[in-house]
Amino acid sequence: MRGSGIIDSVIRLILNVLWLIFGGGLVLALGYGIAALICFALVVTIPFGVASLRLAVYSLWPFGRTLVTKPSAGMASGAANVIWVIVAGWWLALSHIVAGIGLCLTIIGIPFGIANFKLVPAAFWPLGREVVDLP
C-alpha cells in the first residue's frame, strides 16, 4: 500500500511538471494571477481577486488536487458567483472546454485535456470553493 502512494506521488509530480511546461499551466496561472492583481487594485472586486488567485494556484498544479465546496460559504458567495458567471465565468469555462477537447484529440494530450475539464467548474463558479489535496 505504501509503495502505491509513492508511485501515485511520482506520477502526479511528473504530470504536473509536464502540465506546467506543455499543458499551458504556466500561461493559465499567469493570466489568472494578472486578473487577480487587477481585481485587488480595484478594491471592490477583492473577493473576485481571491477567487482568481485560487484559480491561478489550482491551474499551476492541478494533478493530485480537487475542488470542494466550503461548508462556510453563504449567500453572498452565491450572489457574487452570479456576477462572476456573467462577467467572466462563462467564457473562462468555455475556453477550458475548448482547450480540453483540443488536447484530448491526441493520446498524449488526454491527461492535460482532463486537467482542463477539471478547471471548468472552478472557472465557472469559483467563490465558496477551495482547492484540497487528494489523499
Side-chain angles (χ1 to χ4, degrees):
M1 187 86 154
R2 181 182 163 114
S4 174
I6 292 171
I7 293 171
D8 286 346
S9 296
V10 170
I11 290 172
R12 288 176 183 167
L13 175 68
I14 291 169
L15 284 172
N16 278 317
V17 170
L18 291 174
W19 164 260
L20 191 64
I21 298 168
F22 301 115
L26 189 58
V27 173
L28 284 171
L30 285 173
Y32 283 127
I34 291 169
L37 290 175
I38 292 168
C39 289
F40 290 144
L42 297 174
V43 179
V44 175
T45 56
I46 287 176
F48 299 111
V50 172
S52 188
L53 202 55
R54 186 179 312 115
L55 287 168
V57 171
Y58 188 39
S59 65
L60 193 61
W61 209 254
F63 294 97
R65 302 161 102 193
T66 190
L67 197 68
V68 296
T69 304
K70 282 185 187 177
S72 62
M75 196 82 158
S77 64
N81 272 325
V82 171
I83 295 169
W84 175 274
V85 168
I86 293 169
V87 174
W90 69 271
W91 62 267
L92 287 171
L94 183 64
S95 66
H96 284 296
I97 291 170
V98 170
I101 291 171
L103 286 165
C104 284
L105 293 176
T106 65
I107 292 174
I108 295 172
I110 289 174
F112 304 132
I114 292 170
N116 262 297
F117 294 142
K118 278 177 51 175
L119 287 164
V120 169
F124 190 73
W125 202 262
L127 295 157
R129 295 180 180 213
E130 62 185 340
V131 179
V132 296
D133 291 332
L134 293 171

